[in-house]
């Protein structure tokens, strides 16, 4: 048998994981991997995706995990490539994205531990990544490639998902050994690929609580989104006539035009938390933006019992005491719970509480709609962009959100209708993720429409990825809400100082983002009124290329989006962690 490089062994192991893309900017330390991909990539169905910055590559992989529910892979080179990738990994950690990062180091005799001797590109990779990942390790020997990679995937997807990191020296990748001396396992042999369900007894106790409560608030979080639990969640809510609310990480799990859904920034959702007789928390830690699951936003846990569905046992009862914990996959456990509920109670029509909440939400929507009712208004109100997008894009379009107040407007106006399709860094608020997320989503789901709405400052962080989208021929649409400023920081300085503070340099020099896009091989459009947006979107889609629409928004109104007080209240610490 011919000998095999460590690089080829790595690629064959990635194939066993059914990896489709490796996001990587190449380097001499892993030309061996490129050689293996050149030879085998077509046959094994693995494609090299080269971004223009490693962090953007990680964000694209992160988006892939969200859209597919599967882990994704990035590679980066020793030193600078790894350093750039690290920021994306920190983001993936906060968002619970199972990204497996493989970085190289220089040859074993000089790298990392020996860096004090003066080798170049030899930072302490393992220590740097350790705080940002669930697990990391160094492959010291050719033979350990399969089992170290297996562990990287096993840990990334288990419990609460998150990134992992593998460090491989260039000589281990280049080394040739007998492939008969190792075994490549299929992924079912080394990690859980079936959805874990909860113990039957606990399911019955949870069903008893929920069936006994006249009104239930089903609150969905990131775990429900990751699990793709939308259909089960909806069926359960419809059976109970329950009010459904969600965290901003879980938008679209329940179609937001459903009569039982109450939007995150609408007072109706707060009333649902407060007034329901029981809470069913699905894949959420009830963290800061849920005001720690505590009164006054929520009912007193002594009289408002809580059932928590959670994949990670260590996340049970973190902030709010639970009456029953159902540890398992959100999709599987909701199906179990629905079956148990159906055996106990017939389907319930939505009750008086739902009618009250619907009234509150209708008034909220009417007020918001009136604000953006003039399509000829100049400059555009950022919210008006969403009104057009909701109508123009299909219900299953994937949307990436980015920016400060631009995203606050989306919290009010976007109507998310499909699960795993609203991509946002809900925990990190990480500017610059929007464009790479759109790229990763389009790679993962080429048949679906993908668009991004971003603030102008946010767009600047990874604007170079327009070239990536053009080169890869990915027809995504980016709408840039141009207020010429770090708008949300203007909001912050007013809150903190009670005035503007121009020395903060929150205003940007004028940039025509549509022209930048054209220069980078994309289609470009400029719109100054909401009425111009739909025709611009039609031309953008017809171009068959990535497109950027420069939308001039009202810089004064953008500093004060509706609902800002809620964000401030959640972040203020006034509703303290008990
Ligand atoms: C990477 C990163 N750097 C800095 C911040 C802090 N920050 C939050 S919002 C914001 C301004 C965003 O401006 P823009 O994207 O133009 O959106 P706008 O608020 O103007 O709508 C900044 C700098 C952050 N969240 N992420
Ligand atoms: Mg801005």
């Amino acid at each position: 048998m011919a000998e095999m490089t460590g690089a080829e062994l790595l690629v064959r192991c990635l194939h066993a994981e059914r990896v489709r893309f490796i996001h990587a900017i190449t380097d001499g330390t892993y030309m061996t991997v490129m050689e293996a991909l050149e030879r085998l990539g077509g046959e094994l169905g693995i494609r090299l995706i080269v971004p223009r910055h490693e962090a953007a590559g990680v964000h694209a992989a992160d988006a892939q995990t969200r859209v597919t529910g599967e882990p994704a892979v990035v590679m980066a080179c020793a030193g600078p490539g790894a350093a750039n990738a690290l920021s994306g990994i920190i983001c993936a950690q906060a968002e619970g994205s199972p990204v497996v990062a493989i970085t190289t180091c220089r040859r074993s005799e000089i790298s990392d531990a020996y860096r004090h001797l003066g080798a170049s590109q030899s930072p302490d990779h393992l220590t740097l990544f350790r705080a940002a990942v669930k697990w990391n390790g160094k492959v010291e020997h050719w033979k350990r490639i399969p089992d170290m990679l297996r562990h990287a995937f096993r840990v990334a997807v288990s419990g609460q998902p998150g990134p992992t990191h593998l460090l491989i020296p260039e000589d281990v990748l280049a080394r040739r050994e007998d492939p008969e001396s190792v075994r490549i396992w299929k992924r079912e042999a080394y990690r859980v690929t079936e959805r874990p369900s909860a113990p039957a007894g606990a399911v019955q106790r949870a069903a008893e609580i929920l069936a006994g409560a006249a009104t239930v608030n089903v609150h969905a979080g990131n775990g429900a989104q990751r699990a793709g639990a939308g259909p089960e969640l909806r069926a359960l809510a419809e059976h109970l006539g329950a009010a459904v609310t969600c965290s901003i990480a879980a938008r679209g799990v329940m179609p937001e035009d459903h009569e039982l859904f109450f939007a995150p920034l609408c007072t109706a959702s707060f009333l649902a938390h407060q007034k329901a007789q029981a809470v069913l928390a699905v894949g959420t830690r009830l963290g800061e933006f849920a005001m720690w699951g505590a009164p006054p936003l929520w009912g007193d846990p002594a009289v408002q019992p809580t059932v928590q569905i959670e994949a990670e046992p260590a996340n049970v009862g973190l902030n709010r005491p639970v009456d029953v914990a159902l540890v398992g996959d959100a999709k599987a456990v909701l199906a179990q719970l629905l079956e148990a509920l159906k055996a106990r109670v017939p389907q319930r029509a939505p009750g008086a509480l739902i009618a009250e909440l619907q009234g509150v939400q209708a008034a909220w929507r009417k007020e918001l709609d009136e604000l953006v009712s003039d399509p000829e208004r100049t400059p555009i109100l950022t919210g008006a962009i969403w009104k057009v997008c909701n109508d123009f894009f299909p219900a299953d379009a994937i949307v990436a959100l980015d920016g400060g107040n631009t995203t606050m407007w989306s919290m009010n106006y976007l109507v998310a209708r499909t699960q795993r399709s609203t991509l946002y860094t809900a925990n990190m608020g990480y500017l610059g993720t929007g464009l790479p997320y759109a790229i990763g989503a389009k790679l993962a789901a080429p048949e679906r429409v993908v668009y991004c709405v971003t603030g102008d400052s946010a767009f600047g962080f990874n604007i170079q990825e327009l070239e990536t989208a053009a080169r890869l021929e990915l027809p995504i649409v980016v709408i840039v809400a141009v207020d010429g400023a770090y708008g949300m920081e203007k909001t912050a300085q007013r809150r903190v100082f009670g005035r503007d503070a121009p020395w903060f340099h929150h205003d940007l020099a004028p940039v025509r983002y549509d022209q930048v896009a054209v220069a980078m091989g994309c289609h470009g459009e400029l719109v100054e009124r909401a009425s111009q947006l739909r025709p611009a979107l039609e031309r953008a889609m017809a171009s068959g290329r990535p497109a950027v629409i420069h939308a001039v928004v009202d810089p004064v109104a953008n500093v004060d989006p509706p609902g800002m007080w809620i964000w401030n209240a959640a972040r203020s610490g006034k509703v303290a962690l008990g």
Side-chain angles (χ1 to χ4, degrees), residues 403-406 429-431 455-458 461 483 485-489 558:
N405 285 348
T406 300
Y430 205 121
L431 299 181
D456 47 359
S457 324
F461 283 80
D483 66 345
Y486 290 97
M488 187 181 244
E489 298 313 321
N558 198 51

Side-chain angles (χ1 to χ4, degrees), residues 29 78 104-114 119-122 138 168-174:
T29 55
T104 53
C105 57
R106 305 289 313 290
R107 54 185 188 279
S108 302
E109 77 207 67
I110 61 166
S111 73
D112 287 59
Y114 316 111
S120 77
Q121 301 187 325
S122 285
K138 183 176 178 184
I168 315 185
E170 59 178 316
D171 54 309
V172 174
L173 290 171

Side-chain angles (χ1 to χ4, degrees), residues 267 359-373 381 387 409 412-413 562-563 565:
T267 321
V360 172
Q361 183 153 274
W364 176 75
R365 281 219 187 282
K366 186 162 174 278
E367 199 176 310
L368 287 169
D369 285 350
E370 278 169 8
L371 189 62
V372 297
S373 61
L381 281 179
K387 294 297 287 178
W409 287 91
N412 293 284
Y413 285 97
W565 66 272

Side-chain angles (χ1 to χ4, degrees), residues 217 267 269-277 296-300 304:
N217 177 199
T267 321
S269 70
F270 313 150
L271 292 172
H273 302 335
Q274 284 162 358
K275 293 193 173 185
Q277 286 184 8
L297 185 63
W298 300 78
D300 181 345
Q304 185 191 51

Side-chain angles (χ1 to χ4, degrees), residues 174-189:
R175 192 182 174 89
R176 291 173 179 277
E177 296 251 359
D178 177 5
E180 291 297 321
S181 66
V182 288
R183 287 279 171 271
I184 298 174
W185 302 353
K186 58 179 187 188
R187 66 179 184 176
E188 291 74 18

